[in-house]
Amino acid sequence: MPMRVRPDVSVVVIAYNDAARLPRAVASSLAQSLGGVETVIVDDASTDGTGEAADRLAAAHPGRVGAVHLPVNSGGCGRPRNVGVERSNGRYVMFLDSDDLLDRHACLNLLSAAQETGADLVSGLCDRVFLDMPKGAKGRVRPWYPWLYERSAVYGSLEENPDLLYDTLSTNKLYRRGFLEDGALRFVERLHYEDLLFSAEAYTAAARMALIPHRVYNWLVRDRRVKPSISNRRDELANFADRLEIHRRIDMLFELRGADGLKRAKDAKFVNHDLLLYLRELRDRDPVYRARFLDLAAGYLAGLDPVVFETANPLAAIAAFLIREGDREGALAAAEYLPGRRSDLHARLVERDGRVFWGGNPPRGDLGRRVLDVTDLGFHLYPLKELRPAAVVTRLEASGDRARLDGHVLNPLDRIPRGAALSASLEFRSRRRDAPGARVPAEIVHEGGRLAWHAEFDPRARIRPIGFVDPVWDVRLHVKVDGEEIVTRPGGSAGAAAAKAPVLHGVGLPVRPRLTRLAGDVLRSFVTEDGHLAFRLAVGDPRTRRTATAVARVAGSPPARLGWRRARRMERSMRRALASSRTKAAVFNRILTRLPVRRGLAVFESHLGLHYSDNPKYIYRELRRSGRPVEAVWSYATSAKGFPSDARLVRRDSWRYHLALARAEFWIDNQGYPDRLRKRPETTYIQTWHGSAYKLMGLDQPRMKSGPASARARLARMVDRFDCFLVRSGHDVDTLVKGLGVRAELLPAGYPRNDPLVNGLDGDAELAAEVAALRRSLDLDDGRRAVLYAPTFRPGPTGKPVEPMEPPVDPVRFARELGDEIVLLVRPHYLSRANLPPSAGRAMRDVGGVADVTLLLLLADALVTDHSSIMFDYALLDRPIVLHLPEDGEHAAGYFDLEEHAPGPVTRTEDELIAALADLDAAGSAHAAGRRAFAERFGEHDRGTAARTVVERYFGERSAHGSHRNR
């Protein structure tokens, strides 16, 4: 198809039985902003009119579009692309599939880069567009390996960036024709995944390659179940066999070049990408397919360099290694687990020699120990609800009006002790957004490595679907462990053999619909793509199915669907508006504060509702002890566990929370109630704060001074509500009060939380019992000293806390040199968490979960800290303090020279800290005078009477203090 002027670029469009979509693909080529673009359509012997569509396009655009017809279908993409190269004339060549689209400036951007750099091939960004998702939905457009295309780059060889092997698409690239001809580069025919081999050959042959950060290709992804493309037919074993053959040919290519490093990089990509594509879909395959697939995979993996298993991504490497080793269930569990993406943990974890390993069996050999070691992934650190241990259904039956579900939940690392208080329930919930769920009680018992659960119930009495708007229902298992709730979705086991696998498809639970049985009266089970049990509403009585089908057709008609969507959008909009903090604040300020104040009602909050602790706790305890008639309300942020049972509890930011604050006579907290809420004059706000200041506070902070005026205004709004502000010393007046801009009454009473530090535990049986229980739970009764390590908040580059917090001394070294004498209690800031490996258990304890730090101070024999205000409190005990200020650490600006006034030795290195801890008595004696002066200067008002002073000042004769409530 000659053109009068040789085209700059030829776009080869290959098509097979795609008459409907071919014109749009060709249109994207014709619409290129680059003028000299030729389009060559290669029809692979289609039978649906694609050839005729190609001819019509060629006739409509003579000289710009040509059509080539293969006499026999090639069964793949290699042959049509090769023919397209041979029948085209452009100086450069691109490839386009008939179901995808080129970006409008693709040819221009790629050609410009090729001419500027002299590259043999230029590659640009490809976007995958998931057409089954609504436009604008998050995740609808997903770039293909975007980290390769963050900026323009030029490479002289593949060795300069072996990661290019991750992008083996041929369609997002521009090739110089002379480069293809000189190297005789063509696609392999009669094998699928020809792109992989072609790209590897092109990468290795190119004298220069360029990458541009511009999108050039739109890969349109449709529901694969309807008509999967060749590359997505992963349910065919021949498909995987072709992929392995392609990889073997790439292996040969690299071996002939002596490029062992490239082969290892390619093999790591195979483990990270190619293999995982199949493994994550394997649970849906039948057992025979599964076994044959794993045999094929094991044969190929056996030939990989062992180094690959240590360089690939950890969980992908574990999956590949365990396939090779024959642990197929552990391999599938590793392939399916996606950290941080709400996936379930199906594999057991074992601890050996202080390390955590994947799988139920101890690893074999040095390689196995290195590959299966997942200690650094932090499974032992995650709360159980974040770890998401998998729930497996072992029995699903329905008979008459009874249904039964049995199963078990993983207990990783035996994190759930045998004595834990357990309860469970099953929740059936419609996928209709904001729909209420139906709860079914379940029995649950401890079985060591797992928890067994069982539920038997009448589904008609429990599950009441509406019918037309809630056709699909999911199941969730709620497990409470000592008050902490774990929510997981039951499903099947990825590695279960056919003989062991329960029937989870097609079991019908009879239900009683709210509207009509014609909408469905049976929930029929199925397993979702991600392996979870779900139910679909159906009509059980065959006599009414024809009528039900007709009704469903009407209910599913476009007008009906439009009406339902509008109604649901309106409902969701109203729910969001009513639940928003802005709405609640407006109602609070305009309506709720008009309600009468309830005398004696006091709302307590500590650290934004995080837990029951700090100064508010000790004021509350004094109120109880004194017997004053106070109605106490405590706010909690997420869990009510640990809050006092004799108080009324409300979730922070709930409507009940706002109502309590609106009617309260007293607000008592240590941080700040929501800043949008205007305190009424009749309410007294007692702000206890939560520590004296070393670091600059409020308006003294550079970021606040130079920041937006809105931030300073917000601080002023919050602080202006205070009626009372507790201070410990003149230092607080000069720092906290000034920095925050406090204008309230200053109460020089000290901190209520520090009363026990001054008075001791004599006469306070309740607190003594709390300390004793904490000591037992931490196993501190073996005579060793307890040293508390409590550093301050350390923000990262984004302002968020550095996660996780490392101990100040290597745990192995600490155990070896100090473990016989000292237990280190590691207390991260409440916004962070500690990273303690299991091997640290003998000599280190993670006490980040202890809500009340005062209890830790009382039982600690010494303190190690940095700039944390905890040093001001602990100094009252007159026990050794070590300030650990690493040379490479962040040293925040402070109100005074910390080293000049240090209440103990200052250490910079791990060696210095170990030396100080090894002789605590000497360190304590040498700094005794300085420590006592430190306590007197910064805690001059801490005399053990702070809680009593606050209570007597504000909860005595109310009429005597009306002026404070009427600010």
Side-chain angles (χ1 to χ4, degrees), residues 53-64:
D55 289 338
R56 286 194 297 271
L57 289 166
H61 304 279
R64 298 185 64 196

Side-chain angles (χ1 to χ4, degrees), residues 272-493:
N272 289 338
H273 174 77
D274 301 58
L275 183 62
L276 284 186
L277 286 176
Y278 292 84
L279 291 180
R280 287 174 179 162
E281 297 178 1
L282 205 56
R283 69 158 60 247
D284 294 331
R285 312 295 183 221
D286 64 76
V288 174
Y289 174 98
R290 192 182 305 163
R292 290 178 177 174
F293 170 87
L294 291 171
D295 285 342
L296 283 172
Y300 183 74
L301 292 168
L304 298 192
D305 187 328
V307 173
V308 171
F309 298 107
E310 298 184 67
T311 56
N313 296 336
L315 288 171
I318 288 171
F321 180 81
L322 290 181
I323 288 174
R324 198 183 75 161
E325 295 296 301
D327 181 359
R328 296 177 173 184
E329 188 165 355
L332 295 181
E336 293 177 342
Y337 190 75
L338 301 171
R341 297 192 189 178
R342 297 183 63 78
S343 56
D344 298 335
L345 176 65
H346 280 271
R348 290 186 60 198
L349 304 172
V350 296
E351 182 184 342
R352 292 288 186 277
D353 302 323
R355 306 296 292 177
V356 177
F357 297 95
W358 186 273
N361 303 313
R364 294 183 300 174
D366 291 341
L367 179 62
R369 280 189 289 273
R370 292 194 298 271
V371 174
L372 300 180
D373 189 335
V374 292
T375 310
D376 292 340
L377 295 182
F379 289 108
H380 58 290
L381 301 176
Y382 287 113
L384 283 171
K385 62 182 179 181
E386 294 182 23
L387 199 55
R388 293 176 60 86
V392 175
V393 178
T394 57
R395 185 175 184 178
L396 171 61
E397 295 177 350
S399 178
D401 62 353
R402 305 300 293 174
R404 174 171 178 169
L405 277 86
D406 295 351
H408 54 76
V409 184
L410 201 66
N411 182 14
L413 295 172
D414 294 327
R415 293 271 299 275
I416 303 172
R418 285 191 175 275
L422 298 175
S423 63
S425 64
L426 283 174
E427 180 189 26
F428 291 79
R429 180 178 288 275
S430 163
R431 289 187 183 174
R432 181 169 60 92
R433 190 177 299 180
D434 301 324
R439 286 288 187 107
V440 175
E443 299 175 4
I444 188 163
V445 295
H446 202 294
E447 290 187 347
R450 64 190 189 185
L451 310 175
W453 56 270
H454 160 76
E456 192 167 348
F457 58 98
D458 179 0
R460 286 192 181 96
R462 296 280 183 176
I463 306 172
R464 301 292 310 280
I466 295 176
F468 298 114
V469 297
D470 50 8
V472 181
W473 290 63
D474 293 316
V475 185
R476 290 176 175 83
L477 178 69
H478 296 253
V479 179
K480 281 194 174 180
V481 180
D482 289 334
E484 179 185 359
E485 186 173 60
I486 307 166
V487 182
T488 185
R489 292 183 60 187
S493 172

Side-chain angles (χ1 to χ4, degrees), residues 156 159 211 231 329 535 547 604 717 744 831 933:
E159 282 85 353
L211 271 62
S231 60
E329 188 165 355
F535 292 85
T547 305
F604 292 83
R717 283 198 310 272
L831 292 175

